[in-house]
Amino acid sequence: MPAKVKLSSRLLTDVFWSIMFQKDEELLSEKAALFQGLARLDDLRAEADYNTGSISPVAAWSLYNVVRHFRPKRIIEVGTFIGKSTMSMATALEDQKAPGDIFTCDGSNDIKLPWEGRTRIHQFPKTTSGEMFKAIDAPCDLVFLDGRLKKQDLELLDGLVSEETIFILDDFEGMEKGVINLTLLMAMEKLRNHFLIYPASAGWLAKRGYTSHSVTAVLIPTSRFAFTKQG
């Protein structure tokens, strides 16, 4: 049998994030505007019935860059809270002039997000992921999970994704919900050819001047990768 070059998740992770962050110098104004907007969202904590954590600036930038690169038309998000991840994704679509739809739920809070862009944000406040899944009537291109899935969610979610759907997992460390969500997702037949990209490491981020950390992982179809002779 011919020998092959084997790429592990560990080896491919740095390559993936290097590609996602490759336009950092070109996007300085976009990044500054995004971070300023996200900082203002902290004022919404006063409206929360359940006040919890939110994503770090570099995790928001990671999410922004993935969405900007792949330009999904329909996004599902589990875990709205004050909307930092929602706004990061919506802003990425706006900056790419590729508006779409974002469906986002929060089981504990009812906080109206201050969004006025062309991308349509469909909020499901005080709504579980399963209840939101039942209300969505067409498949989506990207799923962002910042809330813990339940086994009974999988059958509903299976009807809303395809073999080409990208998954982004927040809190991917230790035994946090991102790792638990991955365990559940890997039971789905449609994800058998997906490849795990770990969060960008602290060392990798530090070399690029970032001081916050990221726990954002990506589960991506192998069909989304391509060999190129230049780049």
Side-chain angles (χ1 to χ4, degrees):
M1 182 177 180
K4 296 183 179 181
V5 176
K6 296 182 179 180
L7 292 173
S8 66
S9 289
R10 178 182 62 82
L11 292 172
L12 196 54
T13 288
D14 284 356
V15 174
F16 178 84
W17 290 118
S18 293
I19 294 171
M20 293 300 106
F21 280 59
Q22 65 184 338
K23 294 185 177 179
D24 259 17
E25 293 185 1
E26 299 176 31
L27 300 177
L28 290 177
S29 60
E30 288 87 346
K31 180 165 59 174
L34 176 66
F35 285 3
Q36 290 171 6
L38 296 184
R40 290 193 291 268
L41 294 176
D42 283 314
D43 293 339
L44 296 176
R45 289 180 179 275
E47 302 177 25
D49 293 323
Y50 179 66
N51 197 346
T52 185
S54 188
I55 61 175
S56 69
V58 74
W61 189 237
S62 299
L63 186 56
Y64 171 97
N65 278 297
V66 173
V67 171
R68 184 183 175 104
H69 184 90
F70 291 104
R71 290 184 289 182
K73 296 297 293 181
R74 291 169 60 87
I75 297 173
I76 292 174
E77 176 186 39
V78 175
T80 314
F81 188 40
I82 57 174
K84 288 190 176 184
S85 51
T86 318
M87 302 295 256
S88 297
M89 294 188 290
T91 302
L93 294 177
E94 292 296 298
D95 288 351
Q96 277 288 63
K97 296 180 173 55
D101 289 271
I102 300 176
F103 303 87
T104 180
C105 68
D106 190 309
S108 303
N109 295 300
D110 183 358
I111 300 173
K112 179 65 176 176
L113 301 184
W115 176 253
E116 297 180 353
R118 292 180 300 161
T119 288
R120 294 167 294 276
I121 297 177
H122 310 272
Q123 286 190 246
F124 292 78
K126 298 278 188 175
T127 303
T128 66
S129 52
E131 291 170 335
M132 180 179 70
F133 294 161
K134 292 177 182 177
I136 300 174
D137 59 3
C140 293
D141 311 300
L142 185 144
V143 177
F144 175 67
L145 299 175
D146 190 15
R148 185 166 175 175
L149 292 177
K150 299 178 181 178
K151 287 185 178 180
Q152 54 266 37
D153 291 336
L154 294 183
E155 184 175 351
L156 295 169
L157 185 59
D158 187 68
L160 297 174
V161 301
S162 72
E163 290 81 359
E164 295 297 313
T165 301
I166 296 169
F167 287 78
I168 304 178
L169 310 172
D170 189 47
D171 287 327
F172 196 86
E173 61 179 347
M175 287 304 295
E176 296 296 326
K177 62 178 179 283
V179 178
I180 295 171
N181 283 337
L182 175 65
T183 302
L184 289 173
L185 290 171
M186 293 316 296
M188 296 175 64
E189 180 68 18
K190 290 177 181 177
L191 306 189
R192 63 183 179 182
N193 290 320
H194 279 56
F195 201 86
L196 177 65
I197 301 296
Y198 291 111
S201 69
W204 187 92
L205 291 168
K207 290 178 181 178
R208 287 154 181 81
Y210 294 98
T211 56
S212 61
H213 72 291
S214 174
V215 288
T216 302
V218 181
L219 194 59
I220 185 169
T222 55
S223 59
R224 296 279 186 155
F225 295 100
F227 287 101
T228 178
K229 294 181 179 179
Q230 292 182 323

